[in-house]
Amino acid sequence: MQPQAFIEYLEAKYNLDSRSLSGEVNRLFRDVTRAGERPLRVCDLGTGTGAMVRRVLQMVPGPLEIDAVDLEERNLREAEALTRKALAAGGFRVTEAGRGSGRDPGSSEENGPVMQDHAGRAARIRFRTADLGSSAGRAMLVRGGFQVITAHAIMDLLALGPAMQAIASGLRPGGAFYATLTYNGATTLLPGYRDRGFEEALLELYEASMDARGASGGSYGGRRAGTRLYDATVSAGLSVAGFGASDWEIVPGRWGYSADEAVVAGALVDMIYAELVGSRKLSNQDLERWREERRAQIEAQRLTVVVHHTDLLALKPDDAGSRTVTPRGA
Ligand SMILES: C[S@@+](CC[C@H](N)C(=O)[O-])C[C@H]1O[C@@H](n2cnc3c(N)ncnc32)[C@H](O)[C@@H]1O
């Protein structure tokens, strides 16, 4: 996908992602972040255009200090602009706190700190480029001393073992890791394609391409990233406090779906196509026809898309060795 189209896709899925979050896991996250030392130090992994940063600003009482980390400079530029806009709309006064000299992917150099304050609350957000798949990126995390680490739609893109070791080390005792919308197979498209066998083969190849990410040796989660994240989290010494489904459900229903949902459905069809075009296991002509027909169904507001994801909340034992979560209804 072209960079600008990817940015548009990330923004288009904002509302869909928010409503897809597991309600129970989200309630636990809000509970564990309500109290505790302030400013609360937060790190958002794979920030993209800053969707999770904006959610954290809404969900977690400040003052906050947020490090927003991504591999792509252009995503962070967009994240910074959108965060400023959201804060200004929320009545925050945005002040500059000095700027770094530049961004250097892989070196974790920070840039563009931004201060916001409003009625005594404050949020300080640093947008930082870093490759979380590199030892330099992971070292930055380990040094962080964060009370909260969030990871939205990114854990299926990282080698889980090393990433979880760095996350566990980067959390302070009692800290929380909140990983949301981690892909966990399967993708379902309805109504069934007229050549069901073709689409089943196509979706199997698409998921196999996710498994292939780990073929070079890393412990990637592939199509089962959500499930494998649970075990990698426990192996890293964290305790899982919440786990639940956070599926995308794009269903036209009686009134059709929103323009944003159509963008997400279209992007998904295009991503599957881009992953498989040139595969010797499918005819390109059949693949083209599949894309055209599925796109026409989106245009006509007739395509239902369900994508299975999972959310996880994990806690690092505090110095006394306990993990505190408010029981339901307390
Ligand atoms: C699917 S997007 C999710 C973005 C955002 N969290 C959201 O849900 O809107 C994944 C993001 O992770 C970033 N990313 C992928 N691999 C990364 C890595 N090794 N280190 C840091 N960021 C990475 C990408 O640049 C992209 O912005």
Side-chain angles (χ1 to χ4, degrees):
M1 199 183 291
Q2 293 297 312
Q4 190 51 36
F6 185 65
I7 283 173
E8 283 162 17
Y9 157 72
L10 290 183
E11 277 313 291
K13 74 188 183 70
Y14 183 90
N15 288 328
L16 175 65
D17 280 2
S18 296
R19 78 156 195 257
S20 303
L21 291 173
S22 157
E24 178 64 6
V25 182
N26 184 251
R27 184 190 69 77
L28 290 168
F29 172 70
R30 288 171 189 251
D31 276 355
V32 296
T33 53
R34 193 175 300 139
E37 200 181 307
R38 292 297 189 272
L40 189 82
R41 285 193 36 74
V42 180
C43 183
D44 181 46
L45 310 180
T47 283
T49 52
M52 202 61 192
V53 169
R54 280 173 273 149
R55 284 192 200 98
V56 165
L57 287 166
Q58 284 169 2
M59 293 188 289
V60 182
L64 305 173
E65 272 184 22
I66 305 177
D67 282 8
V69 182
D70 201 282
L71 187 60
E72 298 290 345
E73 152 98 31
R74 69 174 76 82
N75 292 354
L76 289 178
R77 273 202 301 267
E78 191 71 17
E80 187 169 336
L82 288 167
T83 308
R84 282 166 181 273
K85 215 161 121 187
L87 285 161
F92 280 71
R93 183 168 57 85
V94 180
T95 52
E96 302 302 325
R99 304 190 68 83
S101 54
R103 293 182 180 148
D104 180 9
S107 77
S108 311
E109 189 174 346
E110 84 185 51
N111 186 38
V114 182
M115 288 281 285
Q116 290 89 20
D117 67 48
H118 169 59
R121 284 189 11 158
R124 181 174 192 270
I125 306 165
R126 296 187 295 184
F127 296 92
R128 312 177 71 164
T129 46
D131 179 358
L132 294 163
S134 72
S135 44
R138 288 194 292 266
M140 178 216 66
L141 203 50
V142 168
R143 285 192 303 271
F146 298 107
Q147 285 140 294
V148 173
I149 297 179
T150 56
H152 187 86
I154 165 94
M155 293 311 292
D156 50 341
L157 301 177
L158 299 175
L160 291 176
M164 280 314 307
Q165 289 298 336
I167 288 166
S169 304
L171 280 176
R172 289 191 197 167
F177 172 53
Y178 186 38
T180 43
L181 271 85
T182 307
Y183 188 76
N184 203 32
T187 297
T188 305
L189 305 176
L190 295 165
Y193 190 56
R194 60 189 170 79
D195 182 347
R196 278 177 197 271
F198 174 80
E199 191 168 73
E200 279 169 18
L202 170 146
L203 291 174
E204 171 55 32
L205 285 171
Y206 171 59
E207 300 222 320
S209 73
M210 298 183 201
D211 296 339
R213 269 185 209 132
S216 53
S219 56
Y220 287 77
R223 72 179 84 184
R224 293 276 172 262
T227 307
R228 293 192 179 145
L229 177 62
Y230 187 110
D231 291 335
T233 300
V234 174
S235 297
L238 303 186
S239 128
V240 175
F243 190 84
S246 49
D247 297 357
W248 275 353
E249 292 173 4
I250 305 177
V251 184
R254 193 166 165 191
W255 291 282
Y257 31 57
S258 70
D260 279 351
E261 287 173 322
V263 169
V264 177
L268 183 67
V269 166
D270 286 353
M271 282 190 261
I272 295 172
Y273 171 87
E275 194 61 52
L276 300 182
V277 68
S279 158
R280 271 175 290 154
K281 296 188 175 148
L282 292 175
S283 122
N284 271 350
Q285 205 183 357
D286 290 347
L287 187 62
E288 291 288 351
R289 190 178 312 128
W290 172 83
R291 177 166 72 157
E292 267 170 39
E293 290 190 19
R294 286 315 202 182
R295 276 211 149 269
Q297 286 173 328
I298 295 168
E299 192 72 28
Q301 300 254 331
R302 288 202 306 111
L303 186 70
T304 285
V305 179
V306 177
V307 179
H308 184 43
H309 304 110
T310 55
D311 291 357
L312 168 145
L313 178 73
L315 304 178
K316 181 162 173 167
D318 62 22
D319 290 330
S322 71
R323 299 110 182 158
T324 312
V325 180
T326 314
R328 192 198 293 266

